[in-house]
Amino acid sequence: MVSSDDIRDLLRDSGWLTVDASELSENDDLYAAGLTSHGSVNLMLALEERFDIEFPEQLLRRRTFESIGAIRGAVAGLLGGTAAA
Amino acid sequence: MSGPFARGASTAAEVAGRHADSVDRDARFPAETFAALKNERLLGAMVPRDFGGEGASLTDMAAVAHALAQRCPSSGLIFAMHQIQVACLVRHGQGSAWHRDLMARLAAEQLLLASATTEAGIGGDVRSSACSVEGDGDGDDGGFRLEKQATVISYGVEADAILVTARRKPDSPPSDQIIVPVLKDQLRLEAIGNWDTLGMRGTRSIGYHLRAEGVRAQIMPLSYADISAQTMLPVTHILWSSAWLGIASDAVARAGAFVRAEARKRPGTQPPGARRLAEVTARLQTMRGMVRGAIAQFEEASGSPDRLTSMGFAVAMNTLKMSSAEMVVRIVEQAMLVAGLSAYRNDSPYSLGRHLRDAHSAPLMISNDRVLGNTANLLLAHKDNGSLFG
């Protein structure tokens, strides 16, 4: 299972955002919070390592990483064996 | 070239060719070319017919950039840079009244658009801004101010409007950018430095201290991150590569003309440069195939924001840029071996001096090293699906 707080913790410790991740809501725009495309690649790698998953090519796009909710949805889909769109 | 814009493009290219030497010698804006392009209504050609344009495709404009660059690479590159801005406006401005009006003006008056993305202190990373949009009003009618130390604005003083990137608000992070078209009468430009370069001398890509004022309705509704991924980045690499291909094509054409002239002098004997010509022709075909493939890939994906913002698409467009920038230099060098001293001379019909100087700008415009680094980062995540047709 994956919770929004798992993702928040990962973001807070990473230094990829310019704001404190614990203050972000489920739907806040992470790109407006300082996430760059370089940062989103590293975020994906960290998620793969943390949850022992692999993101398929069709999820490697901007929208997948745009909010904590979107990331949680994608990770949950991969953990459940169904890739969330 | 063929297609609906062939006649206009060939007229403008003929004018460009006639003035190419003086544009290069004096490092001046190719005003004659752009008067001809306006006259042929090619500057606003990509504007949809509903707004008074011709509804031209990117394929059409790539062909025009290519045709111009064969005769005057500075003209071809400026045309490419202009159309990149037009593409951003046409593809992302139709939902807003201010931008629809600008599109209609672009078609009616054939405005020339420039771009101010790079900024002092950022180190060439166009996806970061230091300057920000400032002003109290929040609504569309609210005013904004913008001040930018732009390290490069090509043909800045000749442009009728400039698309400027900036942080969304004074407290936004550097990556949270917007892009806003600013009209000539809304901005002040103070030139920083001079323009005396090896090649691409007609582009006049000097730095400016830019100050602009306008209304918030001018700010493009979509974030710059999205506009960059979906349009600016792929269209830039495609249109630049098309212009570079024009340089390469003309270099090989001159080499071919040299070999044929030699062959006529001694029928029955293969001229010394003939094999080299075959070799460089193969390379030109490779480059042409690469550029055409990338254009087809863009046209296929152009209606799908998801495909355009995928890592695979970004990798494809980045590699196009790196490869075509390297290839144009190699092709001109190889063409020079075909014609030898006749190509090395500045006063021969087979001269490739300007081609060589212009070509060397390609790996430096958005440095290939930067694109390589970005691509390397994307490849940490991207997996090629291994299929021939994507």
Side-chain angles (χ1 to χ4, degrees):
Chain A
M1 269 305 291
V2 51
S3 73
S4 295
D5 279 338
D6 292 338
I7 311 228
R8 229 170 245 124
D9 288 348
L10 206 140
L11 285 168
R12 198 186 45 234
D13 300 339
S14 69
W16 297 316
L17 302 184
T18 51
V19 302
D20 182 357
S22 34
E23 287 166 16
L24 289 173
S25 82
E26 189 78 5
N27 296 318
D28 278 342
D29 182 354
L30 294 183
Y31 297 106
L35 186 65
T36 62
S37 53
H38 189 269
S40 65
V41 167
N42 289 313
L43 170 60
M44 188 220 73
L45 293 169
L47 289 165
E48 289 193 338
E49 180 69 15
R50 165 80 172 71
F51 296 104
D52 192 22
I53 51 176
E54 188 164 348
F55 279 80
E57 184 60 25
Q58 73 266 23
L59 284 182
L60 298 184
R61 62 171 79 106
R62 203 173 153 73
R63 242 176 34 186
T64 306
F65 305 101
E66 72 186 359
S67 67
I68 289 173
I71 296 170
R72 186 176 44 73
V75 172
L78 291 171
L79 287 170
T82 54
Chain B
M1 73 181 261
S2 59
F5 302 98
R7 198 193 49 80
S10 120
T11 305
E14 192 276 321
V15 173
R18 232 183 308 138
H19 299 280
D21 283 342
S22 90
V23 164
D24 180 53
R25 186 184 59 235
D26 303 334
R28 66 168 181 88
F29 177 75
E32 299 87 349
T33 308
F34 283 82
L37 288 166
K38 277 187 190 195
N39 200 37
E40 298 295 335
R41 296 185 54 77
L42 283 169
L43 293 186
M46 270 206 293
V47 172
R49 291 183 188 280
D50 289 353
F51 301 104
E54 329 293 328
S57 66
L58 184 65
T59 307
D60 296 326
M61 295 301 98
V64 177
H66 177 255
L68 290 170
Q70 287 180 54
R71 308 296 297 275
C72 170
S74 288
S75 295
L77 196 66
I78 295 171
F79 181 80
M81 292 191 278
H82 161 77
Q83 296 297 352
I84 295 160
Q85 312 310 313
V86 176
C88 291
L89 188 64
V90 166
R91 288 167 50 77
H92 305 291
Q94 295 194 30
S96 114
W98 196 91
H99 299 100
R100 285 195 299 271
D101 284 350
L102 180 58
M103 249 182 285
R105 278 192 62 191
L106 174 53
E109 301 166 38
Q110 297 289 305
L111 304 179
L112 180 65
L113 308 186
S115 148
T117 49
T118 52
E119 186 172 6
I122 297 287
D125 176 14
V126 296
R127 288 298 324 286
S128 283
S129 286
C131 68
S132 73
V133 176
E134 293 178 41
D136 308 325
D138 266 348
D140 273 2
D141 298 334
F144 77 82
R145 287 185 312 281
L146 181 54
E147 202 171 325
K148 183 166 189 165
Q149 298 286 348
T151 45
V152 176
I153 305 181
S154 298
Y155 56 96
V157 288
E158 285 82 9
D160 299 303
I162 300 179
L163 276 74
V164 189
T165 52
R167 285 181 300 128
R168 186 178 300 280
K169 291 181 295 196
D171 59 353
S172 300
S175 60
D176 186 19
Q177 298 164 288
I178 56 88
I179 183 162
V180 56
V182 183
L183 304 171
K184 193 171 197 151
D185 59 10
Q186 296 180 310
L187 55 84
R188 270 190 300 157
L189 294 176
E190 235 174 88
I192 306 164
N194 214 338
W195 181 248
D196 183 5
T197 51
L198 188 63
M200 288 297 182
R201 291 167 59 82
T203 64
R204 300 203 54 78
S205 306
I206 50 187
Y208 292 94
H209 186 163
L210 176 152
R211 290 187 191 82
E213 282 183 20
V215 291
R216 289 196 166 263
Q218 290 176 234
I219 297 171
M220 298 282 287
L222 195 62
S223 72
Y224 179 61
D226 273 300
I227 292 178
S228 166
Q230 294 184 36
T231 302
M232 196 179 265
L233 186 137
V235 171
T236 296
H237 293 340
I238 284 171
L239 291 180
W240 285 3
S241 295
S242 302
W244 299 334
L245 181 62
I247 300 175
S249 300
D250 192 59
V252 174
R254 289 185 183 208
F258 174 83
V259 169
R260 285 190 301 277
E262 291 293 297
R264 278 193 296 271
K265 285 180 204 156
R266 283 175 286 278
T269 325
Q270 198 180 68
R275 277 167 180 263
R276 283 284 189 187
L277 177 64
E279 193 180 49
V280 71
T281 299
R283 202 174 280 259
L284 178 66
Q285 286 289 10
T286 308
M287 183 176 178
R288 192 176 282 156
M290 197 170 66
V291 174
R292 291 177 67 155
I295 294 172
Q297 201 175 350
F298 177 83
E299 298 279 18
E300 272 171 40
S302 71
S304 161
D306 271 352
R307 283 174 73 179
L308 294 169
T309 59
S310 72
M311 286 187 188
F313 188 74
V315 168
M317 295 300 132
N318 283 351
T319 49
L320 165 72
K321 193 275 162 183
M322 292 188 290
S323 308
S324 55
E326 281 171 13
M327 288 180 95
V328 64
V329 175
R330 280 286 289 146
I331 288 171
V332 176
E333 283 171 354
Q334 282 187 306
M336 199 170 258
L337 291 177
V338 174
L341 263 183
S342 294
Y344 194 68
R345 297 175 67 108
N346 283 324
D347 59 355
S348 112
Y350 310 112
S351 173
L352 293 177
R354 196 193 64 223
H355 297 69
L356 191 66
R357 289 186 288 106
D358 288 339
H360 272 290
S361 72
L364 314 179
M365 301 180 46
I366 311 186
S367 151
N368 264 21
D369 284 351
R370 175 182 299 281
V371 182
L372 194 63
N374 288 345
T375 309
N377 189 53
L378 290 173
L379 289 175
L380 298 178
H382 169 67
K383 303 149 197 90
D384 191 281
N385 70 8
S387 108
L388 179 55
F389 297 107

